[in-house]
Amino acid sequence: MLKRLGERLFTFYCHTDFQEDIKGDLEEYYAFNLKEKGEKYANGRYFIDALLLFRFSLLRDNWLSQNSNNIAMVKNNIKVAYRSMMRHKFYSFLNLTGLAISMAACVFIAIYVQDETSYDKHFQNSSKIYRVAAHLAFADNEFNLPATPDPMAKAMKMDFPEVLEAARTRGNSTEIISVNNQFFQQSGITWADQEFFNIFKFSVIRGDMDHFLDEPNTVVLEESTSKKLFGDTNPIGRIIRFNEETDLKVTGVIEDIPANTHFKYEMFISMLNREDAKQNIWLSNNFITYLELNNSILAETVEGKIPDFVVKHFGPQIKQFTGTDIATEIEAGRQTWNYFLQPIESIHLRSNLDFELDNSGSVQYVYMFSIIGFFILLIACINFMNMATARASVRAKEVGIRKVLGSMRKQLIGQFLTESLLNSILAFFMAIGIVYLMLPGFNSLTDKTLTDPIFGADGLWPYLGLAAVLVGLAAGIYPAFVLSSFLPAKVLKGEMAQGNAAKWMRNGLVVIQFTTSIFLIIGSMFVYSQLDYLQNKELGFNKDQILIINETHLLGDQVETFKDELLRSAIVENVSVSGYVPATNVSSDFPFLSENATTTDEAVSVQHWKVDYNYGGTFDIELVYGRFFNKELASDTAGVIINETAARRFGYLENPVGKKIKSLGGIVNNQSQSFTIIGVMKDFHFKSMTEQILPHALMLDSDNGRVNIKFSPEKAQDVLQFAESTWDKFANGRPFDYAFLDEVFAGSFKEQLKVKTIFTVFAILAISIACLGLFGLASYVTEQRKKEIGIRKVLGASTSRLVNLLFNNFTKLILLSILLAVPFAWWYMDGWLSDFAYPVSMNPLIFVAGGLGTLLIAWLTVGYQSLKAARRNPIDNLRYE
Amino acid sequence: MKKYQLGEFEEIVLLTVGVLYGEAYGVAIKEEIAKRQNRKVSVGALQSALRRMESKGFLNSEFGESTKMRGGKRKRYFKITALGKKALDYNMQSRVELWNQIPDVAFEFKLC
């Protein structure tokens, strides 16, 4: 048996010339062994010998053993490619730099896109995990929330068999905690159900994941948080004092949650600590509900059941509080209670609800940057193609001779492709160099911490290598076919008439290049001006010269004394105690009715902020009508200041001062309150600048979350020192946490700033690479026409005429590009701007500037070459023939 | 000289082929080496060395008779070629030259 197998194997791989005698030898050994040592040994020996005969020199012919001329040819091709590169150092340099820079740009874009698309995919079962989101509407008020009522999770698990597990989190706040009387400011605090850890299976470092938070007063930490609080000691069982009132016992430590996750929690407190988590109110949405389904295809089934679910659970409470029947209200379109499931994998890029935990991703930007990357690479490829065909006249003789000597067309194509491949591979290595050189800059721009994106774990190098080869082929294929198609007889006779086709092609490619770069330039100018507009838009309040001290509720009753102490300083102009500061994303909305309202359908959802007497003076809020709160008037405690939008929505077209608004019959406190309007403030952006201004109201109420100090101009450092030393007198070692409002404000633009920078960088890259190509092309064309220029000059043409002659062609091409790019850019930017609540107008100046700017740059590029050629002494051009 | 380069095993095989003049086929060579050098040779090593040297031109070969014991397969007899002889000569000469270059002192192994 073994013998047969061995023989088969041997026959399979051994060269046919050697088979007979070696098999004979093997038979002989076999016979000998059979006699001496028995059948078993002989069989085994035969098999082993057959295996050991697997030697390179005994194998059948294979691709390695063939003495192929191909390898020599390939070597020769590389050599020729190298020589031709070295002979034209300047053009090779232009080509290589262009390709390398654009490849590096593409690598960065690829890294960015890879990272953006990797969000939330690292959990086990991540494809089965969903978040419940809400689209709610009543009257004119509309809400898109990632949040749900507190009983939602439990009810869904009960009602839907498809739901394997349901869990809630609430909040994402920064609070003061202390360990052994040492204070820390802790961000990323949330309250979570135990079930949260059943859905999101984090790697546990310490503790029992099944019983992390199933008791009140327990807390789970992220590893780095645990390190920060407890060093390297075991934190299990240790106590964290939360907000100076609750003692929490550490029950678990999980590995740091990867940065590409839509929540950035660092500390989880047991949901059992929250009273509002048990109150069973369906009409307030504050809890984020996560579901794990048995199977991801069941999401639609679950969503299909939600309308009935809503009627069943929301109905009774709606009836109780508003007296209406939910089913008929929904039917009539007066109310919308729409809950739906979002796959967590798509939250980062595709979900854009109000109050998102993570609002940084945008699938639009991912597409945008991918397209830009493609464009830049395209421009560089076109450079290569253009240079190659433009240089055809030089290579033509070489091609002719090669053909005469018997080169096949196939071989010539091979040679030219080798050339472009060599180029792209060299460029690839240069690009890698550039990437590693620029990585720190990229990291700081995009807030990432990449160290080795190409060769590290999950590195991009296989894709990049493949891309380099593809780029080489794509850039080389057209020149290869053009150059190899020359007829040797004609070429060698000197009839180097490069057909119109090649010229058209070249011009067409230049037009494509410049159309894309003009598009990018106009686009980035729009992005720039839009974001600039938002940043510098008149706010309606004073954001400069305001120092915010956070977490002042820690001072408790002493806040007022602290405030008075601050007010004593000459550099402090005003101090207001209120947690509600513009641009800090605080929010608390509640429905209100105007005094004329007859039904609850007319309710307006208003952001109502609790402020003190000094608020208006501190933030310099402009009033259109009325006045701010006055300490002397006791009635002001029932007064309210609304913004213009709110006045409009309440239907107060005239001066509304003196009119009343009342809160909708409370859901939580179950009591309607009435307020008198004492002032109307000018609309200002109290939230993000990118969003529409919503109804807004200020009420007199105490909220000691923050102390806001307005200081004299140029005194930022002094006031900071003063505030800190005053704080230390009161705070007993609690950390001093401050921010300047203008910085907070700039921070809310971080995302846009990033986009702005990236756009600008890439637009500049695109235009420089395109100009690099144009420069090469222009210098080549002038070189080709130098005899013509010489003769024209001898016959009396002036320098300006000659320059004009050379300019003309390029100018036409670029004008054509402008014509093509402008409508496209118009259409695209119009769409982009329509996403903003406050867009800049479609300023035609930008189009003019973009087009003319490109033309100017192109002229400068071509002009240098043209001028040089035109001013040269004609003798130099005509001397040699 | 690269042209005459022989590995140690190749040299043994080549020499054995010479020793077995006229009778040098696989099995015989293997047995001869086993007997004279007291060393076990695998079929694979032997055969690949033979073919390698054949392609280098140190050996040539022709088919011989077949016996029943070989399952009707012919033997392949190897012979040293002139080039093979030169390679052997060159190898021996270069060794001898090296031997002669060694100063006597190098072989005086006294206890030191």
Side-chain angles (χ1 to χ4, degrees):
Chain A
M1 191 58 224
L2 269 176
K3 180 176 172 237
R4 284 260 303 280
L5 188 64
E7 197 179 334
R8 284 246 180 104
L9 263 173
F10 180 68
T11 320
F12 171 70
Y13 61 70
C14 182
H15 198 281
T16 40
D17 284 359
F18 307 149
Q19 280 190 14
E20 184 178 348
D21 61 294
I22 295 180
K23 268 192 205 163
D25 282 10
L26 287 172
E27 287 286 341
E28 233 177 277
Y29 295 125
Y30 179 76
F32 175 80
N33 281 333
L34 194 65
K35 212 165 71 194
E36 296 285 313
K37 306 213 171 163
E39 196 184 342
K40 222 176 176 180
Y41 178 84
N43 267 326
R45 192 72 240 169
Y46 190 102
F47 182 70
I48 288 168
D49 279 342
L51 278 188
L52 289 178
L53 274 162
F54 189 85
R55 304 280 167 140
F56 187 71
S57 49
L58 299 177
L59 292 187
R60 278 170 190 269
D61 283 342
N62 55 39
W63 61 274
L64 272 172
S65 62
Q66 268 167 2
N67 177 19
S68 59
N69 232 346
N70 273 343
I71 288 172
M73 272 311 286
V74 169
K75 269 191 201 158
N76 179 262
N77 278 347
I78 292 176
K79 194 184 273 175
V80 170
Y82 173 73
R83 282 178 187 163
S84 100
M85 271 175 74
M86 293 317 281
R87 198 173 312 130
H88 303 281
K89 289 201 180 68
F90 177 62
Y91 303 113
S92 312
F93 171 75
L94 289 187
N95 267 335
L96 270 182
T97 339
L99 263 182
I101 293 176
S102 62
M103 275 186 182
C106 284
V107 171
F108 280 130
I109 288 174
I111 295 170
Y112 173 82
V113 170
Q114 191 198 31
D115 190 72
E116 284 292 287
T117 50
S118 71
Y119 267 69
D120 295 304
K121 294 199 172 136
H122 45 80
F123 294 113
Q124 273 178 44
N125 308 328
S126 59
S127 64
K128 295 182 200 164
I129 305 177
Y130 291 81
R131 182 176 74 177
V132 184
H135 170 77
L136 312 174
F138 61 93
D140 284 344
N141 311 287
E142 204 176 313
F143 301 94
N144 291 296
L145 302 169
T148 62
D150 69 277
M152 182 80 108
K154 211 163 251 170
M156 280 195 161
K157 196 180 170 188
M158 294 264 281
D159 288 14
F160 304 142
E162 295 87 353
V163 175
L164 194 67
E165 192 64 278
R168 302 167 298 172
T169 63
R170 192 199 199 285
N172 179 24
S173 55
T174 302
E175 310 276 351
I176 297 291
I177 56 174
S178 60
V179 174
N180 289 339
N181 284 327
Q182 204 188 341
F183 290 95
F184 297 93
Q185 190 191 357
Q186 179 60 47
S187 57
I189 298 178
T190 192
W191 284 259
D193 287 321
Q194 166 61 32
E195 288 84 358
F196 183 77
F197 295 98
N198 302 347
I199 294 178
F200 296 99
K201 298 196 171 58
F202 303 104
S203 319
V204 177
I205 292 178
R206 288 174 196 280
D208 177 5
M209 189 144 175
D210 296 331
H211 303 283
F212 265 169
L213 298 178
D214 52 8
E215 280 173 44
N217 299 326
T218 50
V219 63
V220 170
L221 305 175
E222 215 187 38
E223 191 187 4
S224 52
T225 313
S226 159
K227 281 236 167 76
K228 182 177 89 182
L229 302 180
F230 299 103
D232 288 327
T233 59
N234 183 356
I236 299 292
R238 302 277 295 269
I239 300 296
I240 294 174
R241 197 164 175 79
F242 178 76
N243 261 349
E244 308 207 26
E245 44 187 39
T246 323
D247 281 336
L248 304 171
K249 192 175 80 178
V250 180
T251 50
V253 179
I254 57 169
E255 221 165 64
D256 282 357
I257 298 169
N260 50 358
T261 309
H262 73 277
F263 47 75
K264 314 261 180 271
Y265 299 140
E266 293 163 28
M267 182 168 162
F268 302 84
I269 301 174
S270 173
M271 192 62 93
L272 301 169
N273 274 39
R274 286 197 81 98
E275 283 310 311
D276 60 357
K278 307 165 197 161
Q279 55 190 359
N280 207 28
I281 287 181
W282 284 93
L283 302 187
S284 111
N285 294 279
N286 283 315
F287 293 82
I288 299 177
T289 301
Y290 293 101
L291 302 179
E292 184 181 348
L293 304 185
N294 286 317
N295 197 320
S296 54
I297 51 172
L298 294 171
E300 275 179 41
T301 325
V302 173
E303 280 185 340
K305 292 181 188 172
I306 286 179
D308 292 336
F309 173 88
V310 167
V311 171
K312 175 181 159 198
H313 291 283
F314 288 64
Q317 290 191 3
I318 291 189
K319 186 123 214 157
Q320 184 189 342
F321 289 118
T322 64
T324 52
D325 178 54
I326 187 170
T328 53
E329 292 292 310
I330 292 176
E331 196 107 339
R334 285 192 292 268
Q335 289 180 11
T336 309
W337 298 90
N338 206 353
Y339 288 88
F340 56 96
L341 305 186
Q342 297 176 302
I344 54 159
E345 291 180 0
S346 74
I347 288 177
H348 174 70
L349 287 180
R350 292 174 195 278
S351 173
N352 195 17
L353 309 173
D354 307 332
F355 313 113
E356 278 285 358
L357 290 172
D358 156 44
N359 218 351
S360 58
S362 155
V363 77
Q364 232 196 336
Y365 287 141
V366 168
Y367 288 146
M368 252 183 181
F369 289 136
S370 310
I371 291 171
I372 292 176
F374 174 74
F375 276 166
I376 288 179
L377 203 58
L378 180 78
I379 290 173
C381 281
I382 289 178
N383 272 354
F384 183 84
M385 288 159 82
N386 271 347
M387 293 303 298
T389 49
R391 273 159 56 201
S393 55
V394 176
R395 307 297 297 272
K397 284 223 169 72
E398 181 193 335
V399 172
I401 301 269
R402 276 173 187 274
K403 278 199 167 174
V404 167
L405 293 178
S407 252
M408 307 283 285
R409 184 160 183 210
K410 214 171 79 185
Q411 289 167 320
L412 284 170
I413 292 176
Q415 191 208 315
F416 288 117
L417 280 184
T418 314
E419 231 161 90
S420 71
L421 275 178
L422 189 72
N423 248 304
S424 72
I425 288 168
L426 280 178
F428 169 62
F429 286 115
M430 277 167 75
I432 290 176
I434 296 176
V435 167
Y436 281 104
L437 220 63
M438 306 288 285
L439 200 58
F442 176 78
N443 274 339
S444 72
L445 184 64
T446 53
D447 275 340
K448 299 192 190 308
T449 48
L450 300 161
T451 48
D452 196 1
I454 297 178
F455 298 109
D458 291 329
L460 286 164
W461 65 267
Y463 307 103
L464 293 181
L466 190 71
V469 172
L470 285 180
V471 164
L473 287 178
I477 206 116
Y478 172 71
F481 275 92
V482 171
L483 293 175
S484 64
S485 67
F486 293 148
L487 293 174
K490 276 193 178 170
V491 166
L492 291 178
K493 250 199 279 173
E495 283 176 30
M496 191 34 228
Q498 244 191 36
N500 264 335
K503 199 175 155 195
W504 271 111
M505 181 77 183
R506 206 152 62 224
N507 289 346
L509 291 177
V510 170
V511 169
I512 294 178
Q513 268 188 320
F514 275 85
T515 308
T516 43
S517 21
I518 293 168
F519 174 70
L520 287 181
I521 287 176
I522 293 178
S524 61
M525 281 165 96
F526 263 109
V527 172
Y528 200 91
S529 67
Q530 170 67 29
L531 300 178
D532 209 52
Y533 167 72
L534 288 185
Q535 265 172 293
N536 297 324
K537 194 165 177 267
E538 206 185 321
L539 295 171
F541 68 93
N542 166 31
K543 73 174 157 65
D544 305 313
Q545 299 158 37
I546 290 193
L547 173 70
I548 305 166
I549 303 172
N550 294 320
E551 312 291 347
T552 44
H553 54 88
L554 293 178
L555 299 182
D557 306 336
Q558 285 187 295
V559 170
E560 283 301 318
T561 342
F562 176 60
K563 171 183 154 186
D564 294 339
E565 186 81 20
L566 287 172
L567 273 171
R568 269 192 223 161
S569 165
I571 51 172
V572 172
E573 294 186 359
N574 214 333
V575 178
S576 162
V577 181
S578 170
Y580 294 85
V581 175
T584 52
N585 239 340
V586 281
S587 71
S588 82
D589 45 292
F590 203 81
F592 284 85
L593 293 168
S594 78
E595 59 182 14
N596 309 324
T598 48
T599 67
T600 51
D601 290 345
E602 290 168 55
V604 176
S605 181
V606 178
Q607 282 280 331
H608 67 105
W609 288 11
K610 299 170 182 172
V611 303
D612 66 356
Y613 292 104
N614 290 352
Y615 196 82
T618 306
F619 289 99
D620 290 333
I621 289 167
E622 277 179 61
L623 293 182
V624 187
Y625 302 113
R627 56 177 177 81
F628 214 80
F629 298 111
N630 190 339
K631 245 180 195 159
E632 315 295 313
L633 297 171
S635 61
D636 273 5
T637 46
V640 64
I641 296 169
I642 60 175
N643 69 352
E644 291 168 298
T645 308
R648 234 182 355 261
R649 291 282 294 278
F650 282 121
Y652 299 135
L653 299 175
E654 305 277 307
N655 180 353
V657 171
K659 300 230 163 80
K660 286 182 189 305
I661 58 171
K662 56 184 183 231
S663 62
L664 189 68
I667 292 165
V668 183
N669 50 0
N670 207 6
Q671 207 169 16
S672 175
Q673 262 180 303
S674 179
F675 299 90
T676 312
I677 300 171
I678 59 165
V680 177
M681 53 190 171
K682 223 173 146 189
D683 276 349
F684 71 86
H685 288 273
F686 56 87
K687 260 176 85 185
S688 158
M689 295 293 287
T690 51
E691 283 166 51
Q692 194 84 38
I693 294 176
L694 296 171
H696 187 198
L698 305 181
M699 284 163 197
L700 212 47
D701 204 341
S702 75
D703 178 279
N704 55 9
R706 291 185 172 104
V707 170
N708 310 292
I709 305 169
K710 183 182 177 193
F711 53 87
S712 319
E714 318 284 330
K715 294 285 187 211
Q717 282 316 312
D718 302 337
V719 81
L720 187 58
Q721 271 174 11
F722 170 67
E724 186 164 9
S725 59
T726 318
W727 170 267
D728 287 341
K729 271 188 249 168
F730 286 84
N732 255 337
R734 295 178 186 87
F736 179 67
D737 177 24
Y738 71 95
F740 285 100
L741 184 57
D742 50 352
E743 284 168 11
V744 173
F745 211 74
S748 68
F749 279 103
K750 222 166 110 194
E751 216 37 56
Q752 273 98 335
L753 270 179
K754 224 159 59 177
V755 172
K756 192 161 114 176
T757 324
I758 294 175
F759 245 100
T760 318
V761 167
F762 283 127
I764 291 172
L765 266 184
I767 191 76
S768 10
I769 295 170
C771 280
L772 218 61
L774 196 66
F775 186 69
L777 204 60
S779 71
Y780 211 82
V781 170
T782 19
E783 186 66 23
Q784 266 187 320
R785 295 176 79 172
K786 75 178 182 191
K787 288 232 164 71
E788 183 194 334
I789 293 169
I791 291 173
R792 277 176 190 270
K793 207 164 181 189
V794 167
L795 293 180
S798 66
T799 308
S800 64
R801 265 195 82 104
L802 287 174
V803 170
N804 240 338
L805 180 79
L806 294 165
F807 258 33
N808 256 342
N809 189 30
F810 288 114
T811 311
K812 270 186 223 151
L813 293 182
I814 289 167
L815 285 177
L816 182 62
S817 310
I818 294 174
L819 277 183
L820 287 175
V822 164
F824 186 54
W826 186 287
W827 168 76
Y828 188 84
M829 290 332 286
D830 205 35
W832 185 74
L833 287 174
S834 68
D835 284 351
F836 287 88
Y838 300 94
V840 288
S841 57
M842 292 295 278
N843 190 349
L845 257 176
I846 289 185
F847 292 98
V848 175
L852 285 186
T854 315
L855 195 62
L856 200 71
I857 296 172
W859 269 345
L860 284 175
T861 316
V862 180
Y864 168 71
Q865 300 283 342
S866 310
L867 208 63
K868 206 171 78 180
R871 290 181 65 175
R872 212 183 304 164
N873 190 342
I875 284 197
D876 295 335
N877 290 349
L878 296 173
R879 189 168 354 181
Y880 304 103
E881 188 49 63
Chain B
M1 271 166 75
K2 196 166 183 197
K3 200 170 139 197
Y4 296 135
Q5 202 166 31
L6 278 176
E8 186 264 351
F9 182 63
E10 282 178 326
E11 194 179 355
I12 301 269
V13 173
L14 200 52
L15 286 167
T16 314
V17 170
V19 170
L20 289 169
Y21 178 75
E23 292 294 328
Y25 78 103
V27 177
I29 300 169
K30 189 174 172 252
E31 272 169 15
E32 193 69 18
I33 295 176
K35 203 169 77 193
R36 287 181 186 272
Q37 303 277 314
N38 197 15
R39 100 188 229 186
K40 270 196 168 173
V41 179
S42 85
V43 192
L46 175 67
Q47 288 292 348
S48 74
L50 284 170
R51 311 292 153 159
R52 209 160 48 229
M53 285 192 290
E54 191 177 4
S55 71
K56 280 186 197 164
F58 298 158
L59 288 172
N60 63 14
S61 68
E62 56 187 24
F63 280 117
E65 80 281 15
S66 67
T67 64
K68 208 183 151 203
M69 198 170 141
R70 293 174 59 84
K73 273 132 189 149
R74 289 175 293 173
K75 290 175 182 169
R76 185 188 286 271
Y77 289 111
F78 290 90
K79 254 187 200 161
I80 298 183
T81 62
L83 190 66
K85 168 76 168 61
K86 266 191 188 164
L88 284 173
D89 285 349
Y90 172 79
N91 253 23
M92 194 166 75
Q93 220 173 6
S94 60
R95 300 283 186 284
V96 170
E97 254 169 49
L98 283 173
W99 260 109
N100 293 340
Q101 292 301 313
I102 299 174
D104 292 343
V105 200
F107 290 142
E108 286 172 13
F109 301 112
K110 284 179 187 153
L111 289 171
C112 45

